[in-house]
């Protein structure tokens, strides 16, 4: 089960810098994760899609838009998604 989603160490933060946000989460006993980020809550177009073995990742794509809310989610294997959001400055 995935819990405690954070961006730059905060839960659902407002005012995240638009360059290189750091995503982290807690996952007891899990070892493979998929992370997605989107500019809209339906995740029709992913801004980031990443598979990782770490319970964290750093966004290194194009700069995000200032003052915009982004949505992100993570899951282990093919399990259920755990979702959160953040707003950039």
């Amino acid at each position: 089960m995935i819990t405690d989603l954070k961006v730059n160490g905060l839960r659902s933060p407002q005012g995240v810098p638009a360059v290189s946000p750091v995503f982290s989460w807690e996952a007891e006993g899990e070892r493979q994760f998929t992370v997605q980020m989107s500019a809209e809550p339906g995740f029709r177009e992913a801004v980031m899609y990443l598979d990782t073995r770490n319970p964290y990742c750093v966004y290194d794509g194009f700069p995000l838009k200032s003052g915009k809310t982004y949505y992100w989610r993570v899951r282990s294997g093919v399990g259920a998604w755990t979702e959160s959001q953040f707003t950039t400055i």
Side-chain angles (χ1 to χ4, degrees), residues 27-69:
E28 192 165 327
E30 307 294 341
R31 296 178 190 218
Q32 181 68 38
F33 307 99
T34 301
V35 184
Q36 289 183 341
M37 182 176 65
S38 179
E40 48 86 24
F43 291 89
R44 286 183 299 237
E45 293 184 30
V47 174
M48 176 179 72
Y49 185 95
L50 176 72
D51 289 320
T52 182
R53 292 186 181 272
N54 300 313
Y56 62 87
C57 66
V58 178
Y59 174 74
D60 63 354
F62 62 87
L64 303 175
K65 294 180 182 177
S66 295
K68 175 135 181 77
T69 298

Side-chain angles (χ1 to χ4, degrees), residues 61-84:
F62 62 87
L64 303 175
K65 294 180 182 177
S66 295
K68 175 135 181 77
T69 298
Y70 287 89
Y71 304 86
W72 72 287
R73 61 188 182 178
V74 62
R75 71 179 178 184
S76 176
V78 294
W81 293 103
T82 301
E83 300 182 4
S84 189

